[in-house]
Amino acid sequence: MKVVVVGGVAGGASAAARLRRLDENAEIIVLERGEYISFANCGLPYYIGGVIKKRDNLVVQSPESMKERFNLDIRVLNEVKNIDIKNKQVDVYDIKNNKNYKESYDKLILSPGAVPIKPPDKGFNSPNVFTLRDIPDTLAIKNFVDKHNPKSAVVVGAGFIGMELAENLYRRGIAITIIELAEQVLAPLDSEMASLIHQHLKEKKVEFYLNDEVKEVEHREEFSLVKLGSGREIKTDMVFIGIGVRPEVTLAKMAGLEIGERGGIKVDRSLKTSNPDIYAVGDAIEVIDYINGNPTLVPLAGPANKQGRIAANNICGIAEEYEGTQGTSILKVFDMTVAATGNNEKLLKRCNIPYEKSFTHSSSHAGYYPEALPLSIKLIFSSENGKILGTQIVGYDGVDKRIDVIATAIRAGMTVYDLEKLELAYAPPYSSAKDPVNMAGYVASNILKGDSVIIHWHDIEKLNREETVLIDVRTPEEYNLGTIEGAKNIPVDELRNRLSEIPQDREIIIFCQAGLRGYIACRILRQKGYKKVKNLSGGYKTYFPAVQMQDNPDIFQYEK
């Protein structure tokens, strides 16, 4: 059997290695148009920032080492230009030797990846304007920074790669301006969770503008002028374009392979394309969303590696299906960590899937042990049966293990009631006797069982204040530092003795800092005969950042 793999990074390299482990006699050829194979895409920004010191550390396997270990025919700087399906061969251009040749195959695996989206040229093709997708891109950015010592940079796009590069350029002492077309950074998050990141960016004195776009970059002798749709003009030394990627489907289209509705190569669950001898994996393919069952694009390294393995299994006669991608991801944003898995609210609404949500704010470990840090969890679950649909976590420490627990729970089809029961490791330096995951389960379960009737932060402004009483059950000291407008302060410990101040014929909205004291207050009032009592989910800690001005044009103002 002869297998040709097009693309030698995550999916392609995994497929080739798995093929060899399954079939020692197969002829396996890897054709990679770039100079490198099996490199660490996710580590590229950290080499620019100096966190990763050596360039060689970015290369997981060199062509030579992979050839030696797996007996593969690896050809870098060899670009596949066309697929001749009828004759089962590919047309290849050898870049180094400037020659064309044909290579036959029995089975073909496509792993061409994705390419950065770049706006139409309005000043974007310039030596100080960059995208970041591979090692040559990385070297170009790092060499520019090392040589020219820029003082400022504009990062266009606040997705994962944009935020990572912003942090690493910031580490190099460069003043950062972030431009984002959407209303928030980091699309996998819902707005109130993104607001926690917005506040952190403000603390770091990072300039950022939301709901704005770059119209043009005008290059002058001493600087470049980035012109925004809002009319702002920002002087900068360098520009990074990180507005997303699109599947690389050129070869697939030329070969007549079916393209999915989202623009990726269409594959079945065995990762076979519309041609029975061609498989496709990685960022170029359309996958099934594990939560909602619809086609989607998820350009992540973890799924690509798994897909490469599954495609190889199927080629070798080991039947296996790819069950879908849930989009588990994690990101370091300056001092904070952001993680998500499953669907967010925006996606569930588009898919018309009924859901409920809860917010909990816990400590990363036992509060009495030093250096416990805040951890905010948004849990999204079925309002019908409690099945977990998605989670977003923002914090400083312990975010990674909590998102992994919940990602595993989603894959196992677990519910919020199961989260209550999980027996998770506890010692004061690492967690609490009731882990933040358990707490999220308790709160969500109470909502579904009716033990806690909640209201969410975005519904507060819709209240008829003539028919509603807002009660802040925090301490007077907390109340004086800031509260919801019109709220009356009755600390939870005084509540039983001050019931005469609370009318029974009006709706009562209770809130505290994070939700726990509010829940206790609601339980007291309901058992004292109050019928219309709701607790603000996530408390003031969710409400306050969510209702602030999200970007900071009031702090950073440039003259035109």
Side-chain angles (χ1 to χ4, degrees):
M1 179 172 62
K2 182 177 181 180
V3 183
V4 172
V5 180
V6 180
V9 191
S14 293
R18 178 64 174 170
L19 282 167
R20 175 57 73 222
R21 292 196 296 272
L22 294 175
D23 189 343
E24 184 63 24
N25 298 313
E27 182 181 357
I28 304 167
I29 301 172
V30 179
L31 301 172
E32 167 56 49
R33 65 184 170 189
E35 186 179 351
Y36 302 89
I37 64 161
S38 192
F39 61 86
N41 293 71
C42 300
L44 301 180
Y46 299 99
Y47 176 65
I48 294 168
V51 178
I52 297 172
K53 303 295 184 184
K54 297 179 180 179
R55 186 177 79 177
D56 290 348
N57 290 342
L58 296 173
V59 180
V60 180
Q61 288 271 16
S62 69
E64 294 74 24
S65 66
M66 199 162 180
K67 282 180 184 178
E68 183 177 351
R69 174 163 296 181
F70 295 104
N71 187 28
L72 303 173
D73 183 354
I74 298 177
R75 306 174 192 175
V76 296
L77 298 174
N78 276 248
E79 182 176 6
V80 175
K81 292 292 191 178
N82 186 52
I83 303 170
D84 181 351
I85 287 178
K86 182 178 179 180
N87 295 306
K88 294 183 69 172
Q89 61 186 17
V90 292
D91 298 330
V92 188
Y93 173 56
D94 182 339
I95 298 170
K96 187 175 181 180
N97 297 305
N98 190 28
K99 69 176 185 179
N100 296 290
Y101 66 95
K102 296 181 183 294
E103 192 67 61
S104 64
Y105 65 84
D106 295 316
K107 299 292 181 181
L108 183 67
I109 299 177
L110 298 180
S111 182
V115 292
I117 298 171
K118 204 169 183 180
D121 182 27
K122 290 189 176 180
F124 294 107
N125 289 325
S126 173
N128 70 334
V129 180
F130 304 92
T131 58
L132 180 57
R133 187 64 182 170
D134 53 27
I135 290 180
D137 291 342
T138 306
L139 298 180
I141 297 172
K142 189 172 187 301
N143 290 341
F144 182 88
V145 173
D146 292 344
K147 181 178 179 180
H148 297 283
N149 192 29
K151 304 299 181 188
S152 60
V154 168
V155 175
V156 185
F160 277 39
I161 193 68
M163 296 298 285
E164 285 178 335
L165 189 62
E167 177 191 344
N168 281 281
L169 292 176
Y170 181 93
R171 283 179 57 88
R172 298 291 299 269
I174 299 172
I176 303 298
T177 301
I178 298 172
I179 312 298
E180 172 55 49
L181 182 61
E183 297 179 348
Q184 63 171 77
V185 303
L186 301 173
L189 299 182
D190 288 313
S191 62
E192 68 284 319
M193 299 302 284
S195 72
L196 301 174
I197 305 302
H198 298 162
Q199 301 310 310
H200 188 56
L201 292 176
K202 291 179 183 181
E203 292 168 6
K204 290 294 182 181
K205 296 182 170 54
V206 172
E207 178 184 10
F208 66 105
Y209 300 108
L210 305 173
N211 291 303
D212 212 340
E213 63 179 328
V214 176
K215 290 293 189 181
E216 182 182 2
V217 181
E218 184 180 295
H219 301 285
R220 301 184 181 177
E221 187 173 341
E222 297 296 328
F223 58 87
S224 293
L225 196 65
V226 179
K227 297 183 177 182
L228 306 185
S230 62
R232 290 190 184 89
E233 296 183 348
I234 301 171
K235 293 179 181 180
T236 189
D237 297 324
M238 64 184 296
V239 179
F240 170 73
I241 308 295
I243 57 177
V245 296
R246 58 174 175 78
E248 176 53 273
V249 296
T250 305
L251 274 175
K253 284 184 175 180
M254 290 171 61
L257 300 180
E258 189 173 350
I259 303 301
E261 62 187 72
R262 298 298 304 276
I265 301 171
K266 190 169 184 177
V267 295
D268 63 16
R269 287 187 176 270
S270 70
L271 301 172
K272 189 182 296 180
T273 69
S274 54
N275 183 285
D277 295 315
I278 302 177
Y279 291 75
V281 301
D283 296 355
I285 72 169
E286 207 166 83
V287 297
I288 296 300
D289 186 300
Y290 187 76
I291 302 297
N292 62 56
N294 294 315
T296 188
L297 300 170
V298 185
L300 292 173
N305 278 280
K306 295 175 181 66
Q307 291 157 14
R309 179 185 176 91
I310 291 171
N313 285 350
N314 284 301
I315 287 173
C316 292
I318 303 172
E320 185 176 358
E321 292 188 346
Y322 186 70
E323 296 180 353
T325 303
Q326 65 193 72
T328 304
S329 56
I330 192 165
L331 175 72
K332 182 177 180 294
V333 182
F334 295 86
D335 299 332
M336 298 192 86
T337 301
V338 183
T341 189
N343 285 183
N344 58 25
E345 279 195 75
K346 293 169 284 192
L347 189 50
L348 291 170
K349 285 177 180 176
R350 286 202 296 269
C351 297
N352 295 314
I353 296 175
Y355 67 90
E356 184 52 274
K357 60 190 175 185
S358 65
F359 300 92
T360 51
H361 302 281
S362 305
S363 293
S364 55
H365 58 248
Y368 58 82
Y369 188 88
E371 299 181 2
L373 297 170
L375 187 77
S376 299
I377 299 179
K378 177 177 184 177
L379 189 63
I380 308 175
F381 47 94
S382 169
S383 52
E384 298 171 348
N385 57 23
K387 188 174 181 179
I388 306 163
L389 302 175
T391 299
Q392 299 155 43
I393 308 180
V394 177
Y396 295 87
D397 186 35
V399 172
D400 52 346
K401 68 176 181 177
R402 273 70 187 217
I403 200 68
D404 284 344
V405 168
I406 298 177
T408 303
I410 288 176
R411 187 60 64 156
M414 296 171 72
T415 69
V416 296
Y417 305 113
D418 295 313
L419 295 187
E420 293 182 280
K421 302 169 188 173
L422 290 179
E423 187 174 331
L424 303 173
Y426 161 59
Y430 304 106
S431 184
S432 300
K434 295 177 182 177
D435 187 86
V437 171
N438 297 133
M439 290 303 300
Y442 290 134
V443 171
S445 298
N446 284 340
I447 292 170
L448 288 180
K449 290 184 291 188
D451 292 342
S452 176
V453 180
I454 59 168
I455 185 171
H456 291 296
W457 67 270
H458 47 75
D459 294 320
I460 295 295
E461 66 176 2
K462 304 172 189 174
L463 293 171
N464 183 336
R465 295 302 183 93
E466 298 296 322
E467 300 174 359
T468 308
V469 176
L470 270 72
I471 300 178
D472 185 339
V473 297
R474 298 176 299 164
T475 65
E477 291 77 15
E478 291 173 290
Y479 176 83
N480 290 331
L481 288 173
T483 190
I484 299 175
E485 183 179 358
K488 180 180 180 66
N489 183 216
I490 304 179
V492 64
D493 294 338
E494 300 176 13
L495 192 62
R496 293 179 181 87
N497 296 323
R498 296 177 62 177
L499 294 178
S500 61
E501 301 176 37
I502 305 174
Q504 293 209 18
D505 60 345
R506 295 167 70 181
E507 184 176 41
I508 310 299
I509 305 299
I510 301 291
F511 67 95
C512 63
Q513 186 66 12
L516 177 57
R517 285 173 288 175
Y519 168 65
I520 294 170
C522 285
R523 295 301 301 162
I524 292 171
L525 290 179
R526 289 185 68 180
Q527 292 177 79
K528 293 293 185 180
Y530 289 82
K531 303 296 184 183
K532 298 184 289 184
V533 183
K534 294 181 180 178
N535 184 28
L536 176 60
S537 182
Y540 193 68
K541 195 166 185 177
T542 295
Y543 174 86
F544 179 74
V547 299
Q548 301 306 301
M549 176 183 288
Q550 296 303 309
D551 53 7
N552 52 12
D554 52 326
I555 298 173
F556 294 92
Q557 295 184 0
Y558 283 78
E559 294 182 2
K560 293 186 179 181

